[in-house]
Amino acid sequence: MVTGAARGLGAALALAVARRGGVPALLGHEPALLAEVAGRLPGPALAHEVDVTDAPALRAAAEEVRRRLGRPSAVIANAGVAEGGPFVSSDPPSGAG
């Protein structure tokens, strides 16, 4: 799973996963761009529109990925959500709970 996969670093990471034989699930806000990135990959991929700050929507996206591709072996959290401080003591973004 690659969040923020519609462009830039996220798209490049999805390409790297696909080139290594992985089947990436591309997650992000821009469905048309996600589909375009998925179509350029050298193998199968799943494009799924989701807001990573919306916890229920993210859980639903994770279920869709598991249903269609099986259990993910890695999650690349590339989406542009910022939180200050140590990760382990950070609260989810507002609206994610």
Side-chain angles (χ1 to χ4, degrees), residues 9-23:
L9 185 58
L13 290 164
L15 176 60
V17 167
R19 283 184 174 161
R20 288 169 175 77
V23 179

Side-chain angles (χ1 to χ4, degrees), residues 52-68:
V52 299
T53 67
D54 181 342
L58 194 55
R59 280 191 290 278
E63 287 299 320
E64 176 72 6
V65 169
R66 279 191 287 271
R67 185 180 69 74
R68 295 190 52 194

